[in-house]
Structures are given as structure tokens and as C-alpha cells.
Amino acid sequence: MNRLFKLFSKIFKNSSAYAESKEYTDFLEIAFSSGYSFTNEYGNECKYYSIGIGQLNILNGEIIACDPFLFYDEKPFLEKFPIGKFPVELAIERQGGDERIGFARIKFYDTIPVKWEPALIEGQKFENISGDHYFGYPVDSGTGSFMDSSGMVEYSKKYDENENYFFDEVIAQLNKTYKHTRSWLLWESNGKNVALFSSGLGDGMYETQIGFDINGNICRLVTDFGLIDLSN
């Protein structure tokens, strides 16, 4: 998995200037406002609503975002996050009868983010983000996730105990929330949990942003599943 991460950690999409533009960072918030809508480049109306899927138990402040079906020795983000139980929320885009998860976030506090920075892992440097390159995590199962490192240990342990059927059980639980074409799950075991959710249009490379409030405290962690390109 690390080889895949290194291969895809720099990939074509939008520039870092786009990622830091006010229009983009504003969208990281307003996408979670029920009733928000816009017309895309094809003339289709895209309506957003948000839903909470439960609280992520963060025991050590080390958060990992990854494909939960292809994980291997995943590294946590460099930033240390608040410890406690925090709501995981999804911003869902609806076009006609089709629904997709556009953004997933952990909301640490109700304060408003005034600054955003890319979430990086060990070996990644902010100064290496330039031109049309950005850092993100690869998805090949159509599913993303948030977990802390203790959740990763528990999730991996359960997989090792029952590797032939573990993923079948996880998929069966995901299917309980399925609606064309998205689903989610807050997987739990022994006081640890993992938030899983469909990733936009499916497979790809998805970046995560950290939001800081006016006092410099982390108040958001948001993964963008690339449903909208504001550079167009």
C-alpha cells in the first residue's frame, strides 16, 4: 500500500492555489449546509444535505484516512488532533435519484475555520505541493475512512482473526445504509471504531484538509471526494 501511496501521492488535479482559494475553502463548510445547491457545468442541479453517522472515538490524537479495504501499515497525519469523541458528518450531493458523498469530515468544535492546510503524513512536505500536484490517499474499493491509530490496530486485529469473512461482514453492514449510490458505517469493537463511507464517484485519489479556527485550534478534518471542480 505504501508503494501505491508514493506512486499516487502526486497526481494531476488542481493546483495548490486552487486548494487554498477562498472559494474552495468556503465550499468545505457550505457543502455541509442542508439546502445548499448549485448548477454544475452540465446544467444539472446539485443539491446538498448533510448527515451525521456517529462519533469517532479518538484515543490518541493520531488520525488515519485511507481505503479501509486495502490498508497496510497506514501512517497517521502529522498533526495531533483533539482527543475524545467527535461527530463524523457526510455532505451528500443529490442529482435526481443519484446520491454521492462529496465530503466527509470530523467536526471537533463548533468554531468556524479561518485557515486550511493539507493533511500530510510522514515523508510529505507542504513545499512539495506545487503546480498540479497534491497529496491524498488512493481508493480502489470505492470506500474511504477515518480512524485513529488505535482503531486501525483493532480493525486489523479483527481482520487477521477472520480474514476470509471479515470484509464480507463489513460490506454487509455497509449495505444496511445503502442508497443509490452511497453507504456508510461506523464499525465498532472493544471501544474502538472506524468510520467508513462511499467515496464520491468511486475510485481515485482524495485529499484531506485541516481547518483551524481563529485561535489556531483544529476544528475540522475534511476529505474532498472530488465531485466538483471549482477551477472550471
Side-chain angles (χ1 to χ4, degrees), residues 105-216:
R105 77 178 180 184
I106 304 172
K107 187 176 183 180
F108 296 101
Y109 302 111
D110 291 331
T111 51
I112 304 300
V114 298
K115 182 181 74 170
W116 294 87
E117 293 181 357
L120 305 178
I121 65 169
E122 182 182 353
Q124 298 174 343
K125 296 182 179 180
F126 182 77
E127 54 265 31
N128 291 338
I129 301 174
S130 63
D132 57 359
H133 302 304
Y134 73 101
F135 290 111
Y137 70 86
V139 168
D140 199 37
S141 71
T143 312
S145 69
F146 289 133
M147 65 190 83
D148 85 340
S149 58
S150 67
M152 168 64 81
V153 170
E154 183 68 17
Y155 190 78
S156 300
K157 175 184 173 183
K158 292 300 182 182
Y159 170 77
D160 290 340
E161 290 175 355
N162 190 15
E163 61 182 79
N164 292 327
Y165 300 102
F166 178 71
F167 284 155
D168 289 340
E169 294 170 359
V170 172
I171 292 170
Q173 292 180 61
L174 275 166
N175 285 339
K176 293 179 181 179
T177 62
Y178 179 81
K179 184 175 182 180
H180 188 71
T181 51
R182 51 79 179 152
S183 60
W184 62 80
L185 167 67
L186 192 65
W187 179 90
E188 301 193 53
S189 176
N190 295 323
K192 320 293 195 311
N193 58 15
V194 176
L196 301 85
F197 28 78
S198 303
S199 53
L201 294 173
D203 300 342
M205 171 65 60
Y206 301 115
E207 62 185 323
T208 301
Q209 300 279 336
I210 304 171
F212 299 83
D213 66 20
I214 196 169
N215 296 314

Side-chain angles (χ1 to χ4, degrees), residues 30-106:
I30 63 176
F32 289 88
S33 302
S34 293
Y36 177 75
S37 66
F38 68 94
T39 301
N40 67 17
E41 58 186 305
Y42 304 106
N44 299 322
E45 185 180 20
C46 303
K47 298 180 179 180
Y48 271 78
Y49 72 94
S50 64
I51 188 167
I53 67 170
Q55 294 194 321
L56 189 67
N57 193 8
I58 301 172
L59 300 179
N60 53 29
E62 298 178 350
I63 294 182
I64 296 166
C66 67
D67 185 323
F69 292 100
L70 295 173
F71 64 94
Y72 176 73
D73 192 28
E74 301 300 328
K75 299 294 187 284
F77 294 124
L78 293 172
E79 289 281 353
K80 289 289 187 179
F81 294 86
I83 292 173
K85 294 183 178 181
F86 301 97
V88 177
E89 300 174 341
L90 308 176
I92 299 175
E93 180 181 296
R94 178 187 293 135
Q95 289 190 53
D98 184 72
E99 294 192 358
R100 305 277 177 166
I101 296 172
F103 300 87
R105 77 178 180 184
I106 304 172

